[in-house]
Each structure stands twice: as C-alpha cells, then as structure tokens.
Amino acid sequence: MGYIVFVTYDNDAERKRIDYLLDKWSSRATVKKPRGAVFYIETDEPQEFLEELFSRLEGNAGEKVEVYSARRVENRIKAKRRTLEYTISEERKVVERFIDYLLSKMNAGYSHSENEAKVYSVYTRKGRATIRATIDGDGRTKVALEIEGYGDAVDFLAERIDEELKLFAGD
C-alpha cells in the first residue's frame, strides 16, 4: 500500500534531514518525491477537476499527472520514554554542573524549565529527543533524567548518559 505523507518543516536543516531519510529508504521502499506541484484535493467531482487540470498543461498531460486515491491514516506512533535515576554522593551544585557539562557535550540545548526540571532538546544522528533533568538533595544528590523521543535516539542517549553518570558517581 502506498502513502502520501505531508510534512511541514520549519527550516532548511529539517528539510535536509527529511531528504536524507527519503534517500535512505529508497532502497527499501518505492519513494517518489516528484518535481512540480503535489497537492491533496477532496471533491465529489474528481473527473471535472482533472479535465480542468489537463486543459492547463502543455504537452502530454497524461504523462505529467498521476492521481491516487487517499484517506487519512491516524498517527499511531508513540514517543519512547526512558527514565534514568541515580543517587550521587556529591553536593548538588557539583552534580548540576556535571549534568550541564554532560548534556552540552552531547549538543543538548537548554529549552526551558518545567516545575523542578530543566528541559533540554538534543538532535543526534539517531534522531531528536527531549531530556528532562531533575536534581534533588544535597550531599546525597538524587538525579532523574527522563529521555523522550522516537526511534533509536532514546536508547542511544540513555546508554551514553548512563555510562558517563556511572563513571562520575563511581559505580
């Protein structure tokens, strides 16, 4: 079964990531990214519309136009989520600085705060994810990192963060 996918992107970097994905999938699926106009129309008079469209095209309109029937498919893709929790025998400020260092090393950018958590966004070669870091206590500092995203990005980040924090905590 074929699918028509509409993707709205915000910038050129996002468009390039989509192009890369289409190139990657072209060996596993039939992928068409046609030149020209691609649009969706819902009408009770498709023949009348197509006749008008064909009348406006030069050359052999039959070779220029492909028409597919389509119905909306609900997005059932759920974000993956992993939570990492640690108790570290260090002062809170030391732990906060290390977490900031670790996340900046992974190119995670601070996004905003939610309640007691700092929220970071990160894009890796495995995909995009959000990291919520909550740090509590002093002396015996509790750290909770919730990683949320799609595909392999969540496990990839969780493994890297876990390795680094276990080294830092001395585990």
Side-chain angles (χ1 to χ4, degrees):
M1 176 182 287
Y3 299 91
I4 299 170
V5 180
F6 295 90
V7 180
T8 303
Y9 49 84
D10 294 327
N11 55 49
D12 200 45
E14 210 171 16
R15 181 193 58 77
K16 287 178 182 177
R17 290 192 294 264
I18 294 164
D19 285 343
Y20 171 77
L21 177 66
L22 294 177
D23 285 344
K24 177 181 166 187
W25 272 80
S26 67
S27 64
R28 298 166 49 186
T30 300
V31 177
K32 288 185 178 183
K33 190 174 174 201
R35 217 180 80 208
V38 178
F39 53 88
Y40 173 82
I41 182 169
E42 202 168 305
T43 180
D44 292 329
E45 302 167 359
Q47 283 306 118
E48 188 176 332
F49 170 77
L50 290 171
E51 283 178 22
E52 279 195 53
L53 175 64
F54 277 47
S55 73
R56 286 166 170 72
L57 297 173
E58 296 176 15
N60 187 345
E63 290 178 2
K64 292 182 174 184
V65 177
E66 292 181 47
V67 180
Y68 300 90
S69 64
R71 63 178 168 71
R72 185 175 178 92
V73 176
E74 290 302 315
N75 178 2
R76 293 190 182 120
I77 306 298
K78 299 251 189 259
K80 188 180 217 180
R81 186 176 287 156
R82 280 190 55 188
T83 302
L84 304 173
E85 296 179 317
Y86 306 89
T87 301
I88 301 172
S89 299
E90 288 286 348
E91 299 297 316
R92 180 182 176 140
K93 287 281 184 204
V94 173
V95 175
E96 284 176 344
R97 280 193 292 259
F98 181 76
I99 297 291
D100 286 342
Y101 159 75
L102 175 60
L103 295 178
S104 71
K105 185 170 110 171
M106 295 177 167
N107 293 320
Y110 173 78
S111 176
H112 63 281
S113 291
E114 287 178 1
N115 303 323
E116 302 295 317
K118 284 184 175 179
V119 181
Y120 298 82
S121 290
V122 60
Y123 189 83
T124 72
R125 58 183 151 70
K126 302 285 185 180
R128 185 187 61 78
T130 301
I131 301 171
R132 283 176 191 75
T134 307
I135 303 172
D136 257 341
D138 219 353
R140 291 205 42 83
T141 306
K142 293 183 190 233
V143 176
L145 297 165
E146 182 182 286
I147 306 162
E148 183 177 337
Y150 297 93
D152 295 333
V154 173
D155 291 332
F156 174 74
L157 287 166
E159 288 170 19
R160 284 189 59 197
I161 291 169
D162 187 54
E163 183 180 319
E164 296 275 354
L165 274 170
K166 282 181 177 175
L167 282 172
F168 176 71
D171 288 348

